[in-house]
Amino acid sequence: QVQLVESGGGLVQAGGSLRLSCTASGRTFSGYAMGWFRQAPGKEREFVATISWSGDIIYYADSVKGRFTISRDNPKNTMFLQMNSLKPEDTAVYYCACRLGTSHRIESSYDYWGQGTQVTVSS
């Protein structure tokens, strides 16, 4: 059974940084792209960033470009999201997901999801 487990969320002041991790287990993830999505209170879940298996195809949402960095460590089946210069509008539950194939911005294209980790940015 595939499991994705996020960690690293928490409370941080505006301008601060957090590093999220997502560890996958339960199968071989060779060829799987991974992504981060987030859902703020009262809003739809939205795309944040995605990275291909090889790490050579990366996309970011415009709202996080230049502040967030996605990366992965394939031998450890782990993906990261380094979040710098955090803003109150980054407050959300952050979810990791994976899909067989290349990087993709569309939520419905992902096969497996984690339970999410809360990120709260105070002003």
Side-chain angles (χ1 to χ4, degrees):
Q1 183 175 350
V2 174
Q3 268 197 320
L4 300 178
V5 180
E6 302 96 337
S7 61
L11 174 63
V12 64
Q13 287 189 331
S17 298
L18 282 175
R19 190 191 195 207
L20 304 184
S21 299
C22 171
T23 301
S25 62
R27 65 161 297 134
T28 299
F29 288 93
S30 176
Y32 276 72
M34 299 187 77
W36 289 100
F37 292 77
R38 67 186 182 186
Q39 187 168 22
K43 295 189 176 181
E44 297 286 319
R45 189 156 57 185
E46 64 176 4
F47 166 75
V48 175
T50 180
I51 184 168
S52 62
W53 165 255
S54 61
D56 61 341
I57 301 174
I58 291 175
Y59 302 124
Y60 294 100
D62 287 344
S63 59
V64 306
K65 205 171 292 183
R67 299 188 298 121
F68 290 10
T69 302
I70 190 172
S71 61
R72 64 190 295 167
D73 183 344
N74 287 339
K76 296 183 179 179
N77 280 345
T78 301
M79 173 180 63
F80 305 99
L81 186 68
Q82 178 66 43
M83 305 186 295
N84 299 329
S85 302
L86 283 161
K87 305 175 181 180
E89 50 264 44
D90 295 317
T91 294
V93 177
Y94 284 71
Y95 297 90
C96 71
C98 66
R99 67 182 299 272
L100 181 62
T102 192
S103 307
H104 210 295
R105 295 179 176 92
I106 304 301
E107 177 182 343
S108 60
S109 70
Y110 285 77
D111 302 308
Y112 303 105
W113 290 83
Q115 293 299 306
T117 186
Q118 176 70 46
V119 171
T120 303
V121 184
S122 62
S123 57

